[in-house]
Amino acid sequence: MVNFPSLNRRSGEPARIGVFDSGVGGLTVLKELYRQLPDESILYFGDTARLPYGDRSPAEILQFVREILTWMEEEGVKMVIMACNTSSALALEIVQSEFSFPILGLILPAARAAVKGGCRIGVIATPSTAASNAYQQAILEVDSTAQVWQAGCPEFVPLVEQNRIYDPYTRSVASEYLAPLIDQKIDTLIYGCTHYPHLAPVIQAILPEGVNLVDPSVHLAAATARELDLMGLRSDVSALSTQFYVSGNPRQFSQRSAQWLGYAPKVDKIRLPELQPRRSTYFESVD
Ligand code: DGL
C-alpha cells in the first residue's frame, strides 16, 4: 500500500492538488474545484508556451504530460487533475501507471454524466481528442446503446486564448462546427475541451432548445472529492490558496485569467524538467 503525503515534504503545509492545462481552459475546472472543494490548495500549471495542444501528436502530448507530472511530483502534490481533455484522451491511461499519486481525467466522468441525460450525444473537442475517439469509446462502454457524434473544432482554443468570445467571427465558426451535430438531432452536448465552457453564451445561442449541456469539469470535481475521501486525502484545514505557473508569458496569462477568476492572479514562469523522449510502442500505429 502506497502512502500519499497529506503534507508537502518541503513546506510542511497541507499537500496540494496539481491541476494543469495548455492555458486558460483549465480555469473552468479550477472554478469548479473551488466550488466543490473549497479547502484544497492548488498548484496550477498552464503550458502556454506550447499551446494549443489540440493539434499535437499523441507522442508529443505524452512527452509534455510526463514533463508536467515529473515537475508536479517534485513539488510534492498529493494528486493531479488533468484539466485538459486532449491530455486525458491521449496520455491518462499510460501515465497513471508511471506515477505514484492518483491522476484523474475528464473523459470518464463526462461520459457517465452524458448517458444519464440522453442517448444522442454530440461531443465538441480539439482535433486530437476527436481523432482519438476517446469520448466515443468511453460513452459506449458506459451505455452501448448510445449514439455519438464528435466534431473537431480547431479554431475555438485560439479564439478563447485571444479573448475573441463575442467576436461575430467566433459565432460563425461555432455555427459551422455545431451544424452537423444539430442535423443529427443530438439531445446532449459535451464540452470536450476545457476552453469551451468559456464560449457557453455563443454555443447556447446556437443550439436548439432542450439540448442538455455537459460540462465535464463539474463531474471531474465531484470525482475528485470522492477520490480524496476514499484515500483519506481531503484537506481538513481551510487552506485554500492557488499558485499559478506557466511556461510562457506570466503577465499575459494573469491578464487573460482575470475575467474568469475575478482577479488578476500572481503568475510565475517555470522551466519544466527536460526528459528524454521515451520510445513508446503504444503510438507506433498512430504516429
Ligand atoms: N483545454 C485543453 C483541452 O481540454 C487543451 C486545448 C488546446 O490547447 O488545444 O483539450
Side-chain angles (χ1 to χ4, degrees):
M1 161 112 185
V2 184
N3 281 319
F4 297 100
S6 58
L7 291 180
N8 183 311
R9 281 188 304 275
R10 242 183 277 161
S11 65
E13 306 266 315
R16 295 169 292 179
I17 299 178
V19 176
F20 76 87
D21 180 41
S22 60
V24 295
L27 300 181
T28 57
V29 175
L30 190 65
K31 283 184 82 172
E32 206 42 48
L33 290 170
Y34 287 167
R35 200 174 67 79
Q36 296 191 39
L37 289 164
D39 292 335
E40 296 298 331
S41 295
I42 291 170
L43 174 67
Y44 186 98
F45 176 69
D47 199 0
T48 52
R50 302 189 285 198
L51 172 148
Y53 273 16
D55 46 15
R56 299 280 191 170
S57 73
E60 277 178 299
I61 296 292
L62 180 58
Q63 175 72 11
F64 297 168
V65 168
R66 280 181 173 143
E67 290 170 3
I68 296 166
L69 293 175
T70 302
W71 171 69
M72 288 192 165
E73 186 174 46
E74 286 164 8
E75 289 292 318
V77 296
K78 61 181 175 185
M79 175 184 280
V80 170
I81 294 177
M82 290 189 176
C84 169
N85 287 267
T86 311
S87 307
S88 305
L90 299 173
L92 178 64
E93 275 181 36
I94 303 171
V95 294
Q96 270 174 333
S97 60
E98 295 178 352
F99 292 84
S100 61
F101 43 79
I103 307 169
L104 274 64
L106 292 142
I107 313 266
L108 196 58
R112 289 199 178 115
V115 298
K116 282 190 192 144
C119 54
R120 301 180 68 79
I121 300 167
V123 183
I124 46 173
T126 65
S128 302
T129 301
S132 76
N133 273 329
Y135 263 109
Q136 184 166 34
Q137 280 165 16
I139 292 166
L140 295 180
E141 262 167 43
V142 186
D143 180 354
S144 59
T145 66
Q147 285 182 282
V148 184
W149 294 270
Q150 300 169 98
C153 309
E155 294 206 58
F156 273 171
V157 168
L159 287 168
V160 171
E161 289 285 340
Q162 291 158 21
N163 199 12
R164 292 175 60 192
I165 315 276
Y166 295 101
D167 189 324
Y169 178 73
T170 304
R171 192 189 154 99
S172 78
V173 167
S175 300
E176 218 175 280
Y177 291 151
L178 291 169
L181 303 178
I182 294 172
D183 285 351
Q184 294 297 341
K185 303 208 172 354
I186 55 164
D187 54 28
T188 303
L189 180 73
I190 301 179
Y191 290 122
C193 168
T194 51
H195 280 74
Y196 299 175
H198 291 319
L199 293 166
V202 181
I203 291 169
Q204 281 168 359
I206 296 166
L207 285 177
E209 236 176 82
V211 175
N212 173 31
L213 275 157
V214 176
D215 179 351
S217 64
V218 176
H219 309 286
L220 173 58
T224 305
R226 284 194 296 273
E227 184 79 11
L228 287 172
D229 286 340
L230 201 70
M231 309 200 75
L233 287 177
R234 199 192 267 246
S235 166
D236 50 11
V237 284
S238 193
L240 174 65
S241 77
T242 307
Q243 277 178 294
F244 291 90
Y245 294 93
V246 291
S247 53
N249 184 328
R251 215 158 57 118
Q252 198 176 58
F253 185 85
S254 177
Q255 282 164 354
R256 300 245 159 97
S257 303
Q259 64 175 308
W260 313 113
L261 294 172
Y263 66 97
K266 176 180 177 302
V267 182
D268 290 306
K269 182 171 171 152
I270 52 132
R271 221 178 149 85
L272 291 174
E274 280 170 32
L275 302 179
Q276 283 306 317
R278 287 185 229 169
R279 187 85 196 111
S280 172
T281 48
Y282 188 86
F283 290 135
E284 268 168 11
S285 54
V286 247
D287 280 347

